[in-house]
Amino acid sequence: MDPKKKTVWENLREKTKTQFNNIKKKKTPGKLEKKKPKPLQYRRSISVPDLRFVQAEPSPTDSAFCTAPDAIFFDSSSGSGDNTSVNSVPLSTDRLTATDAGPSGRKTVYDLTFIDNMNVSGSKMIAVAARGPPGPIQKYLLTVNLKEGRNLVIRDRNGTSDPYVKFKLEGKTIYKSKVVYKNLNPKWSESFSFPLQDREQVVDVRVYDKDLTTDDFMGSSTIVIKNLELDKTGEMVLSLEDPNSLEDDMGVIVMDTCLTFRDATIKKRGNQTQPQDKAQIQRSAEATKNSQLWSGVFGITLVEGQDMPENVQGDIYVRYRLGEQKYKSKNLCVQANPQWRERFDFNKYEDCLEPLQVEVFAKRGRKSEESWGMFEVDLSRLPVATQQLYTHVLDEDKGRLVFLATLNPCCGVSINEFNKTPLEQPDERDQILEKYVSMFSDILLFIHVGFLQVKVVSATDLTSTDLNGKSDPFCVLELGNSRLQTHTIYKTLSPEWKKVFTFPIKDIHDVLELTVFGEDGDKAPDLLGRVAIPLLTVQNGQQVTRGLKKANWGGPAKGTISLVMEVHYNPVRAGIRTFKPIEEKFLEDNPKFAKKVLAQNIYRVRKITMALLHTLQYIKSCFQWESRQRSIIAFLIFIVTVWAWELFMLPLFLLLLIGWNYFQITTERISSNQDLVSVSYTESGKKGLMDKIHMVQEIVITVQNILDEIACIGERVKNTFNWSVPFLSCLACLVLFVATATLYYIPLRYIILIWGVNKFTKKLRNPYAIDNNEILDFLKRVPSDVQKVRGPAEGP
């Protein structure tokens, strides 16, 4: 028979019974009892040490301490009835023993440790940290040797993946491995260590496929710390799983793990840290730094295609990839022998042993792409400063691809601390200036025109991206296609990186872009702000603080960044490099339609058009004699210029114009930035939905009319020559015949002089004459293709 169930009241009474029993009765003031001292048997707070009791007889060592001639004895009985004695060694040692004789006569030995600021008052004493086996607050150190992956899943369309591994603890990434490209059985061979609070923690191991935009998930597993044996290295084979995937076998990750105690005697004292952790952090920082530095530059020249299909519509282009560096060529129409003739550079990293991957694509329409072939080229054996020609056959009946590759040495790339600045070391500074600035330096360095040093000091008042009101910022420096970055400083809005970066300069007209990101775990980092600094505007050795701007340069962002920069370059090399093709970005996102960008571009074109119209209006006013003095001066200048004109006067005139503007700027009469168009061009005031729709409609109509005018002029010129209107074509033939005979018998100087005199005197001869342009008036009589469709003209 089942026992009778208890009522709600009975359950409540049992739960509160112990609490009511612990309530003491109130005492009257005259009957207060002396509170008996009790030994400390448990830890009350973090600040109170956890004393462990060991029931044992005093050891000979303890007896020696008790009988030391200069020992100090503290008696803590104070009439309390407890026989407790504490024996201390001289003040030069920090070991303390205490014995307690209980009622049974057994002795309890306390093994304590002195605190430097120990307070002794009467019978009271402060002591901490019993020596003994590690307690529950003892931290552990987990060392992982990531070996390899086996039979990983496919995530790329070419049948491979680009895997890397992330180790996460409580949602935070504690380590990220390098990326192994195009391999389903990658080998990492990386080791790292990180501390653990207790053995109940679990480390998440996640594998991702590196992509240009969003990385694909390849499976995950866990390391259960409590299942690991202490001080024993063992191999773990973790099977990857993904509950959202239909794949049964996602491969395994192989690694060695070892769990050890962190030595309590090396624990933090003051500002000192554990030597093992500090060394590990230094090794990790050194590995991160070395992974960013490159020792050479591969110069790739895409020449042409040979024997490619001709009966195919669309465009053809080539994609190159070397590690994380990617480049896409320009699109050409499909033909038998397309000629690209474009050059780009890839940096050579020491830890990147992947081959150069080349793939040819044919594109039809907006989204339809077809691969015509892919191949790999091993550039590791490419000799230095030697041009190598490669000709590779593509897929069947798709032809061949021809390109050149050259390996050029590169130096001057470094990441240093503030106390190891290259340009502040006299010997190193002289070497750098000799390499990059001297006219007689090595010809192999001709690809570089100078040297840049950037001290990234700090940032202040950044945008918070975490829930705790903080961010995890790091800074990325980009100069052309070269990229370096600082370490991440966690949980702060005012980081101090204090790092020194050096770059070799390929083009003195490059712009250094510094972008501050906030780390966000597995997600893409949040952009906190960016700043752009042209190299030619750098003031050497001066610390500058720049305000950050938004991602699209559309306006100011929250925060500032402090920098110290130095630029040294060879003016001759920089001048020669100016007349060579500019280096294109490796691979940028396809531009998308933006209403504000369209409105801004229309505004820019309109502003240039208005400037030209004002110039033409000024010249026209000279012909109209609106100001008699100005027209007389313009007429005399025209006569003298045409009569004495020589070809060298054209560049001389432009030289005088540039010199005049320089004089105006130096005397502060005008500013070189007076005509700048703000990239943050926005509409004035807030507009509703209908106003925005009408604005977009007006912009589209304006673009439509401009395109119509351009198309009409081109079609009318074409129709003049193909006899769409026989009368107009005959008239054009007559005019061209007269112009040919005139130019044959009369020098051009006289013709221009006669035309100018006629223009200047036309208003004086006929004040009410209507201005016109004879050539445009003629072309307006010729129908465009649209007008021909409406009413076709009769052919010859």
Side-chain angles (χ1 to χ4, degrees):
M1 183 176 179
D2 296 337
K4 185 178 179 180
K5 294 184 178 179
K6 295 181 181 181
T7 63
V8 176
W9 173 253
E10 290 176 348
N11 291 331
L12 180 61
R13 185 173 57 184
E14 288 186 359
K15 291 180 180 179
T16 58
K17 184 177 180 180
T18 58
Q19 298 182 11
F20 282 110
N21 291 338
N22 293 334
I23 299 178
K24 296 182 179 180
K25 296 180 180 180
K26 294 184 178 181
K27 305 279 184 177
T28 59
K31 297 182 179 181
L32 289 176
E33 297 179 358
K34 181 177 287 188
K35 191 174 181 180
K36 294 183 179 181
K38 296 182 179 180
L40 186 63
Q41 298 179 352
Y42 58 91
R43 188 177 187 183
R44 294 191 176 101
S45 69
I46 296 177
S47 60
V48 179
D50 189 3
L51 303 180
R52 303 303 178 104
F53 305 122
V54 183
Q55 300 291 339
E57 294 297 331
S59 61
T61 308
D62 298 325
S63 301
F65 280 104
C66 295
T67 59
D70 54 351
I72 303 174
F73 176 82
F74 296 93
D75 186 4
S76 61
S77 59
S78 296
S80 62
D82 293 341
N83 299 325
T84 304
S85 63
V86 180
N87 301 298
S88 174
V89 296
L91 295 178
S92 58
T93 61
D94 62 349
R95 194 171 183 275
L96 177 68
T97 61
T99 60
D100 181 13
S104 61
R106 297 186 62 186
K107 290 185 178 181
T108 303
V109 180
Y110 301 151
D111 190 6
L112 308 178
T113 306
F114 266 120
I115 301 180
D116 293 339
N117 59 347
M118 179 183 294
N119 296 324
V120 180
S121 176
S123 62
K124 297 181 181 179
M125 183 185 68
I126 300 176
V128 296
R131 292 187 180 180
I137 63 167
Q138 174 67 54
K139 294 184 179 180
Y140 300 87
L141 187 69
L142 178 63
T143 303
V144 177
N145 178 23
L146 179 60
K147 291 183 175 180
E148 60 180 351
R150 300 172 185 170
N151 301 323
L152 301 184
V153 292
I154 298 173
R155 287 292 181 262
D156 293 340
R157 61 183 178 183
N158 55 8
T160 61
S161 296
D162 307 326
Y164 68 92
V165 185
K166 277 188 176 182
F167 292 82
K168 303 188 68 178
L169 183 64
E170 298 178 353
K172 280 287 186 180
T173 301
I174 56 178
Y175 186 78
K176 177 182 175 182
S177 72
K178 66 181 180 181
V179 181
V180 180
Y181 293 94
K182 306 296 180 184
N183 201 330
L184 299 180
N185 297 283
K187 295 184 183 297
W188 287 285
S189 299
E190 301 180 28
S191 298
F192 61 95
S193 301
F194 55 91
L196 299 173
Q197 295 290 341
D198 54 58
R199 299 191 64 177
E200 299 299 325
Q201 292 180 296
V202 177
V203 179
D204 292 330
V205 182
R206 302 190 178 190
V207 184
Y208 292 90
D209 170 56
K210 182 68 176 179
D211 281 335
L212 184 62
T213 54
T214 304
D215 297 345
D216 299 324
F217 185 62
M218 298 178 63
S220 65
S221 186
T222 57
I223 302 176
V224 182
I225 304 301
K226 64 182 179 181
N227 295 339
L228 301 179
E229 298 184 21
L230 287 172
D231 299 323
K232 184 177 180 181
T233 302
E235 184 179 77
M236 297 186 66
V237 180
L238 302 179
S239 299
L240 300 178
E241 298 177 353
D242 183 7
N244 299 324
S245 176
L246 299 178
E247 296 161 305
D248 296 332
D249 184 11
M250 304 190 70
V252 297
I253 296 295
V254 182
M255 65 184 70
D256 290 335
T257 57
C258 180
L259 183 65
T260 57
F261 283 119
R262 301 176 74 186
D263 190 359
T265 61
I266 313 178
K267 211 169 182 181
K268 286 187 178 181
R269 292 182 180 175
N271 294 327
Q272 294 180 354
T273 58
Q274 297 188 13
Q276 185 176 3
D277 291 345
K278 187 175 182 180
Q280 181 66 35
I281 293 172
Q282 290 178 350
R283 288 195 298 269
S284 178
E286 189 70 19
T288 303
K289 182 184 75 171
N290 293 336
S291 65
Q292 301 184 59
L293 306 181
W294 60 93
S295 60
V297 176
F298 292 113
I300 311 296
T301 303
L302 177 57
V303 182
E304 62 179 358
Q306 298 177 353
D307 300 332
M308 292 187 171
E310 295 184 88
N311 54 350
V312 178
Q313 294 183 350
D315 296 333
I316 184 174
Y317 65 91
V318 185
R319 284 181 180 267
Y320 288 84
R321 179 172 183 172
L322 182 64
E324 295 186 359
Q325 304 173 88
K326 300 179 181 180
Y327 180 81
K328 176 182 174 296
S329 72
K330 61 186 178 184
N331 292 6
L332 296 180
C333 294
V334 177
Q335 51 185 311
N337 297 297
Q339 304 289 319
W340 280 281
R341 309 288 177 174
E342 54 184 294
R343 189 184 184 280
F344 56 94
D345 294 334
F346 280 157
N347 294 330
K348 179 181 180 295
Y349 296 92
E350 293 299 334
D351 60 344
C352 181
L353 303 178
E354 290 82 8
L356 175 67
Q357 300 172 7
V358 186
E359 190 168 6
V360 182
F361 287 93
K363 183 177 182 181
R364 303 181 186 88
R366 186 176 180 85
K367 296 183 178 180
S368 176
E369 288 185 347
E370 177 188 0
S371 177
W372 280 10
M374 175 183 174
F375 57 89
E376 295 182 346
V377 179
D378 185 10
L379 299 179
S380 60
R381 300 180 180 179
L382 190 65
V384 178
T386 301
Q387 196 172 64
Q388 183 72 34
L389 178 67
Y390 294 93
T391 302
H392 281 266
V393 179
L394 304 177
D395 292 346
E396 186 177 0
D397 299 329
K398 300 302 182 183
R400 299 182 301 274
L401 187 70
V402 180
F403 66 94
L404 301 170
T406 307
L407 174 59
N408 296 311
C410 177
C411 58
V413 186
S414 66
I415 303 176
N416 300 293
E417 303 294 335
F418 255 38
N419 56 356
K420 298 180 181 179
T421 306
L423 289 180
E424 292 182 0
Q425 309 295 329
D427 295 339
E428 193 169 354
R429 182 184 182 91
D430 294 340
Q431 292 179 2
I432 291 173
L433 297 180
E434 180 68 23
K435 287 181 180 179
Y436 294 99
V437 181
S438 175
M439 297 291 296
F440 306 101
S441 55
D442 193 348
I443 191 63
L444 293 178
L445 296 174
F446 190 74
I447 59 174
H448 298 133
V449 302
F451 180 82
L452 168 66
Q453 176 179 282
V454 185
K455 293 182 180 179
V456 183
V457 183
S458 62
T460 57
D461 196 22
L462 298 177
T463 304
S464 61
T465 57
D466 296 340
L467 295 178
N468 58 3
K470 302 292 184 179
S471 294
D472 304 328
F474 64 93
C475 182
V476 176
L477 298 85
E478 293 181 275
L479 183 66
N481 286 316
S482 302
R483 175 189 173 105
L484 295 175
Q485 76 177 51
T486 66
H487 59 287
T488 303
I489 300 181
Y490 294 94
K491 301 186 185 307
T492 181
L493 298 180
S494 299
E496 293 185 359
W497 292 291
K498 292 186 177 180
K499 292 288 184 179
V500 181
F501 300 86
T502 59
F503 296 87
I505 300 174
K506 296 181 181 179
D507 192 345
I508 194 60
H509 308 284
D510 280 340
V511 177
L512 176 67
E513 295 184 8
L514 296 99
T515 308
V516 181
F517 292 95
E519 192 174 291
D520 192 13
D522 291 338
K523 300 179 182 179
D526 302 314
L527 195 149
L528 306 181
R530 62 197 314 184
V531 63
I533 304 176
L535 297 184
L536 289 174
T537 64
V538 172
Q539 297 178 351
N540 289 346
Q542 296 186 9
Q543 180 169 333
V544 295
T545 300
R546 297 292 184 95
L548 299 177
K549 294 187 177 181
K550 296 180 180 179
N552 59 352
W553 308 103
K558 187 179 180 182
T560 60
I561 187 169
S562 298
L563 309 165
V564 179
M565 302 176 61
E566 283 194 52
V567 174
H568 300 278
Y569 65 97
N570 187 311
V572 177
R573 293 184 192 171
I576 296 174
R577 184 69 177 84
T578 303
F579 296 97
K580 292 186 177 181
I582 191 172
E583 183 180 20
E584 300 291 340
K585 285 287 187 179
F586 280 152
L587 193 62
E588 297 180 341
D589 296 335
N590 293 328
K592 298 180 180 180
F593 174 78
K595 174 178 66 67
K596 289 184 178 180
V597 176
L598 178 61
Q600 173 188 328
N601 293 339
I602 293 295
Y603 175 76
R604 293 164 60 193
V605 173
R606 183 179 298 171
K607 190 169 184 178
I608 295 175
T609 305
M610 293 302 296
L612 293 176
L613 290 178
H614 284 310
T615 303
L616 295 176
Q617 187 66 30
Y618 182 84
I619 297 174
K620 185 178 179 180
S621 67
C622 296
F623 293 142
Q624 299 293 330
W625 294 84
E626 294 179 1
S627 173
R628 188 175 298 273
Q629 179 182 2
R630 183 171 60 192
S631 297
I632 292 175
I633 295 175
F635 180 70
L636 294 177
I637 292 176
F638 174 78
I639 295 295
V640 174
T641 302
V642 173
W643 185 259
W645 173 258
E646 297 292 341
L647 192 58
F648 72 88
M649 293 183 178
L650 177 61
L652 178 61
F653 170 75
L654 299 177
L655 178 62
L656 293 176
L657 181 61
I658 294 176
W660 171 252
N661 286 335
Y662 178 77
F663 173 75
Q664 296 276 65
I665 293 172
T666 52
T667 55
E668 297 183 354
R669 297 183 181 180
I670 62 174
S671 173
S672 59
N673 299 328
Q674 64 180 0
D675 295 327
L676 283 182
V677 178
S678 175
V679 295
S680 59
Y681 169 80
T682 55
E683 304 83 11
S684 60
K686 294 184 178 179
K687 297 185 178 182
L689 178 61
M690 294 304 299
D691 293 334
K692 292 181 179 179
I693 293 176
H694 289 310
M695 188 196 70
V696 173
Q697 184 178 3
E698 291 177 0
I699 293 174
V700 173
I701 291 175
T702 303
V703 175
Q704 172 183 302
N705 292 337
I706 293 174
L707 295 177
D708 179 65
E709 289 293 331
I710 295 174
C712 285
I713 292 176
E715 291 172 354
R716 284 166 176 166
V717 172
K718 178 197 69 174
N719 293 333
T720 301
F721 287 92
N722 63 11
W723 295 83
S724 295
V725 180
F727 175 77
L728 294 175
S729 297
C730 290
L731 188 59
C733 290
L734 179 61
V735 172
L736 291 174
F737 177 78
V738 173
T740 303
T742 304
L743 290 172
Y744 182 79
Y745 289 103
I746 303 176
L748 180 61
R749 189 191 309 272
Y750 297 153
I751 296 176
I752 297 176
L753 193 61
I754 294 173
W755 172 85
V757 170
N758 176 63
K759 269 291 191 183
F760 273 102
T761 59
K762 186 176 183 180
K763 190 69 175 180
L764 298 177
R765 291 183 282 106
N766 186 4
Y768 305 105
I770 299 175
D771 295 327
N772 66 316
N773 188 308
E774 292 80 1
I775 297 178
L776 291 180
D777 293 339
F778 172 82
L779 288 177
K780 287 181 180 179
R781 267 68 175 188
V782 182
S784 63
D785 290 349
V786 176
Q787 293 172 336
K788 288 173 61 178
V789 172
R790 296 174 184 172
E794 184 179 355

